[in-house]
């Protein structure tokens, strides 16, 4: 491994791995091989004999964590034969904190909340928190203000007494509500993990801690890192001070610039060589960096790649937004005519919602495929169909008392139909169909039926009835449905949940909150959805979303005063500037953002302004750039033809990350690639029932009992059921009944003698296939006297439509065990419900013969290849469609008659 590192890393990249200091701060310029260095540093720890369980690496996003872990796994498999990365944690800080906390008794059964959940939660308890009194704003106007204050409180790691008097009761009431209801938001995860570590000592056995994107950490995250580290454990942080662009989330660039002040014994290393961009683009970005005041002055990029014969950076002016949009569309067409694929071109806007619409419309008018969820058909779905229908459903429609009211009702109904009719344009007698579906949904609300709380379920039934379905070629509608379903899910999961002291809203109240939540969150959330880089379309997105990515061609429109840079803004919180000053937006922050934007480009870069030389409106950033690095033109005809031609090898991603994916996701792809695309690529959320948590609770108690060395008494069993089973979406009576049912099932299994106390529980496995890494968790692995092994999986009930999926799961686990050198004698799926009902063990035997495992491995390889290549066609069948919870919204589904 050390020889491999020496021969595959530059001297800059090797230096941190060869250091003598305990800790290291790696200041990595854009495109300088930061990820490569980090991968090899992690692998070097394994080569040094550090156990995987003793290594933790924090990444900024889940996707970055998956990619980093996949790279480490692949490198170790090739150069550290016999080693394993299983047990190494690579992922987000929040996920690590939640995992750590839920292993502590006081945090069992806590439910994690994402940012959308928190928005919905604050809306539900608006009055209880006293937000109207504190902010002087009626519902829902203070939600955003309170969330800003809450973020400052968490990020700065403040004590409650440090909160301004006006809002302290609100923050205190919110924290107490979380505690009483066993809820945990992102800020709370870090806060409570830090406090627990400070009270109980650092993470036992932690040898190496890595933190990526360290320029974006806030004080609370630094406090966590300090609390985690045992004496003499090693800390390596990596980041770029010039890419600190999340100050409005609490990022503090001073932490990476003054790393030694926080962590003492350390060395600073710089990665200065840019391997991504052409030299003129590197020089241009360096010039932008010169004007950033708070930065590491020694970190100046040098270019590794050779220059090309043509110009690579351009400043294009035009007279208006409309003319600029046509310029952008023409640029795209010129590159496409020379063979540049659509998805190798990115258009990065300071604000898509503010200034992206003319560009999207110009591209679409020319038939150019566009990936921009909030401004294309996906956004139209939310604005033109979903919101009007929700507005109708949340409004009371009593019987008209006179002719005037009858006329008013009819006028409102006609207005709604006129708004939505284009979505049913191909439906025979569309108006009748629409009102039939709408009134069916409305009846459940007006009658306050319990099923009315299943908003997603009713939405999908409504869309099905109206024949508004999505197919593999309608990526924009998929994304719009995803955005809507994720916002709706947050409201549903908060509104359906039992909260101490906060009764559940009526169905109409829930519909009203769904409507308001979509209005509050559609824009910001729509701009922040993860980018699908495999989409065959030109990307239009924000600079913030583009961070960490790269394209051969990058176009940055609307570089003008007031747009880029935007006008400086104060932090907008209730805290004084001494606490929250950096949460605002300054011109320096905007320069960093422009640096990030320009360093995304590999081959060509275009900066556009629509102000045609109006000196009052020209961006100061453009004035600062020298003419010898930036070719200026008003018409594209002035640019040499060879600019549009890029060699095929320069259009290919240079070092794509290996695919790392959960077994459950692969098996969904095996059943139907389009279902995988809907659920995992774009994130459409399925509807769920009130019983959510029953199977999880039953499974958790079974796993505990399986690992126990002696039988539990009835009181012990009852205690474990009470502690481990939580069904907050049920009524208290329903939850009590569910716990009784689980208790009966456990007693039944105990009587059947299935618990031996032997074997390994929750066995984590990872298998390296040619197309990527697949990981999963097997319930139980037990050894026989002859050395063979038995796999057991517990299912609360086995539904026949899911049986093929369950069997493939077990075959994968058997394949993983065989890869480890084990011999699997059999694999059993235990139907716990049927066993309890019949008084005998009901087991489904799984074929784990060699040919069955080879067939399973072959299907997984094919699935990985399809995922990698972005093949997400529908493969309908009566079996796969029956097991698909995307069935009602799928345009490619198989009907019950097989058509």
């Amino acid at each position: 491994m050390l020889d491999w590192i020496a021969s595959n890393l530059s001297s800059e990249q090797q230096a941190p791995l060869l250091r003598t200091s305990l800790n290291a701060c790696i200041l990595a310029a854009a495109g300088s091989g930061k990820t490569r260095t980090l991968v090899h540093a992690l692998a070097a720890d394994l080569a040094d004999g550090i156990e995987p369980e003793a290594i933790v690496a924090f990444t900024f996003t889940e996707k970055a964590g998956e990619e980093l872990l996949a790279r480490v796994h692949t490198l170790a498999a090739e150069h550290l034969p016999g080693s394993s990365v299983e047990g190494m944690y690579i992922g987000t800080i929040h996920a690590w904190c939640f995992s750590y906390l839920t292993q502590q008794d006081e945090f069992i059964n806590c439910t994690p909340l994402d940012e959308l959940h928190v928005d919905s939660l604050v809306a539900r308890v608006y009055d209880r928190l006293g937000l109207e009194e504190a902010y002087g704003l009626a519902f829902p106007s203070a939600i955003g203000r309170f969330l800003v204050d809450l973020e400052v409180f968490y990020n700065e790691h403040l004590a409650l007494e440090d909160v301004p008097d006006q809002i302290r009761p609100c923050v205190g009431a919110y924290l107490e509500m979380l505690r009483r209801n066993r809820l945990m938001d992102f800020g709370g995860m870090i806060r409570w993990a830090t406090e627990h570590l400070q009270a109980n000592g650092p993470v036992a056995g932690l040898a190496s801690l890595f933190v990526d994107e360290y320029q974006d950490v806030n004080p609370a995250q630094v406090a966590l890192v300090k609390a985690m580290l045992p004496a003499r454990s090693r800390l390596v942080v990596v980041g770029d001070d010039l890419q600190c662009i999340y100050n409005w989330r609490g990022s503090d660039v001073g932490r990476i610039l003054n790393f030694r002040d926080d962590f003492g014994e350390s060395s600073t290393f710089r990665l200065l060589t840019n391997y991504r961009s052409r030299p003129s683009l590197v020089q241009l970005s360096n010039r932008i960096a010169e004007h950033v005041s708070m930065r590491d002055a020694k970190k100046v990029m040098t270019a590794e790649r050779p220059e090309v014969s043509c110009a690579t950076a351009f400043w294009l002016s035009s007279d208006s937004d409309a003319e600029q949009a046509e310029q952008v569309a023409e640029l795209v067409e010129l590159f496409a005519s020379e063979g540049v694929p659509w998805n190798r071109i990115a258009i990065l806007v300071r604000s898509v919602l503010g200034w992206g619409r003319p560009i999207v419309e110009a591209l679409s008018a020319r038939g150019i495929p566009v990936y921009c969820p909030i401004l294309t058909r996906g956004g139209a779905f939310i604005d033109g169909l979903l919101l009007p229908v929700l507005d109708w459903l949340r409004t009371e429609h009593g019987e008209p008392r006179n002719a005037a009211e009858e006329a008013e009702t009819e006028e409102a109904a006609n207005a709604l139909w006129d708004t939505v009719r284009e979505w049913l344009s191909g439906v025979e007698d569309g108006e009748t169909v629409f009102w039939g579906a709408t009134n069916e949904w409305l009846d459940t609300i007006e009658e306050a039926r319990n099923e009315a709380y299943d908003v997603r379920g009713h939405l999908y039934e409504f869309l099905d009835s109206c024949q508004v379905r999505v197919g593999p070629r309608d990526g924009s509608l998929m994304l719009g449905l995803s955005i809507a379903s994720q916002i709706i899910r947050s409201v549903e999961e908060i509104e359906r949940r039992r909260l101490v002291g906060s009764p559940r809203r009526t169905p109409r109240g829930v519909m009203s909150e769904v409507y308001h939540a979509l209005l509050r969150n559609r824009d910001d959330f729509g701009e922040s959805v993860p980018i699908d880089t495999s989409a065959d379309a030109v990307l239009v997105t924000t600079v913030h979303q583009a961070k960490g990515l790269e394209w051969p061609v990058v176009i940055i429109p609307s570089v003008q005063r007031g747009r880029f840079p935007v006008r400086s803004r104060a932090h907008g919180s209730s805290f004084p500037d001494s606490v929250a000053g950096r949460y605002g937006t300054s011109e320096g922050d905007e320069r960093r953002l422009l640096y990030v934007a320009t360093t995304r480009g590999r081959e060509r870069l275009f900066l556009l302004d629509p102000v045609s030389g109006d000196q009052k409106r020209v961006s100061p950033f453009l004035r600062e750039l020298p003419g010898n690095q930036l070719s200026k033109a008003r018409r594209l005809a002035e640019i040499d033809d060879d600019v549009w031609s890029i060699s095929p090898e320069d259009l290919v991603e240079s070092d794509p990350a290996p695919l790392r994916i959960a077994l459950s996701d692969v098996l969904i792809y095996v059943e139907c690639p389009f279902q995988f695309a809907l659920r995992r690529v774009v994130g459409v959320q399925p509807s769920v029932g009130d019983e959510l948590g029953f199977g999880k609770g039953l499974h958790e108690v079974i796993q505990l009992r399986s690992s126990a060395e002696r039988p539990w008494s009835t009181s012990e069993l009852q205690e474990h059921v009470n502690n481990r089973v939580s069904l907050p979406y049920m009524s208290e009576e329903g939850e009590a009944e569910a716990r009784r049912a689980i208790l009966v099932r456990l007693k039944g299994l105990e009587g059947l003698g299935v618990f031996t106390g032997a074997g390994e529980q929750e066995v984590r496995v990872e298998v390296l296939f040619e197309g990527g890494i697949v990981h999963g968790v097997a319930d139980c692995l037990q050894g026989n006297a002859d050395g063979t092994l038995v796999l057991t999986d517990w299912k609360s009930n086995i539904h026949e439509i899911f049986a093929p999926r369950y069997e493939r799961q077990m075959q994968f686990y058997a394949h993983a065990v065989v890869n480890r050198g084990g011999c699997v004698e059999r694999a059993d799926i235990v139907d716990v419900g049927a066993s309890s009902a019949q008084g005998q063990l009901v087991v489904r035997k799984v074929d784990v013969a060699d040919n069955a495992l080879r067939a399973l491995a072959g299907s997984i390889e094919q699935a990985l290849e399809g995922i990698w290549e972005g093949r997400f066609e529908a493969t309908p069948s009566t079996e796969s469609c029956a097991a698909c919870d995307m069935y009602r919204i799928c345009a490619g589904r198989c009907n019950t008659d097989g058509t």
Side-chain angles (χ1 to χ4, degrees), residues 147 158 266 464 559 573 615 645 740:
L147 293 178
L158 301 174
S266 64
D464 188 12
V559 185
S573 81
Q615 293 304 307
S645 178
R740 284 192 291 271

Side-chain angles (χ1 to χ4, degrees), residues 638-679:
E638 300 171 18
I639 298 175
D640 293 339
D641 290 343
D642 56 355
V643 167
W644 317 120
S645 178
I646 301 174
S647 64
E649 58 266 27
D650 291 329
L651 294 172
V652 178
E653 190 175 354
S654 55
D655 185 23
L659 183 65
R660 183 176 185 272
I661 188 168
L663 171 64
S664 58
D665 292 342
V666 175
L667 296 184
I668 288 176
Y669 186 94
V670 168
E671 291 174 14
C672 178
F674 184 49
Q675 181 188 180
F676 174 89
L678 284 170
R679 293 200 57 176

Side-chain angles (χ1 to χ4, degrees), residues 1 46 71-85 768:
M1 172 58 73
L46 292 173
R71 289 182 187 275
V72 174
H73 195 298
T74 304
L75 186 62
E78 184 174 356
H79 298 286
L80 290 172
S83 68
S84 171
V85 301
L768 179 61

Side-chain angles (χ1 to χ4, degrees), residues 16-87:
L17 280 65
L18 303 175
R19 72 184 188 277
T20 56
S21 63
L22 189 66
N23 304 320
C25 175
I26 304 174
L27 293 167
S32 62
K34 175 198 72 170
T35 300
R36 185 177 184 83
T37 304
L38 191 53
V39 168
H40 284 77
L42 286 157
D45 274 2
L46 292 173
D48 283 345
I50 298 176
E51 293 297 324
E53 296 84 357
I55 302 172
V56 171
F58 290 145
T59 56
F60 193 69
T61 64
E62 291 179 8
K63 184 174 184 288
E66 289 288 342
E67 291 182 355
L68 183 58
L69 184 53
R71 289 182 187 275
V72 174
H73 195 298
T74 304
L75 186 62
E78 184 174 356
H79 298 286
L80 290 172
S83 68
S84 171
V85 301
E86 291 172 18

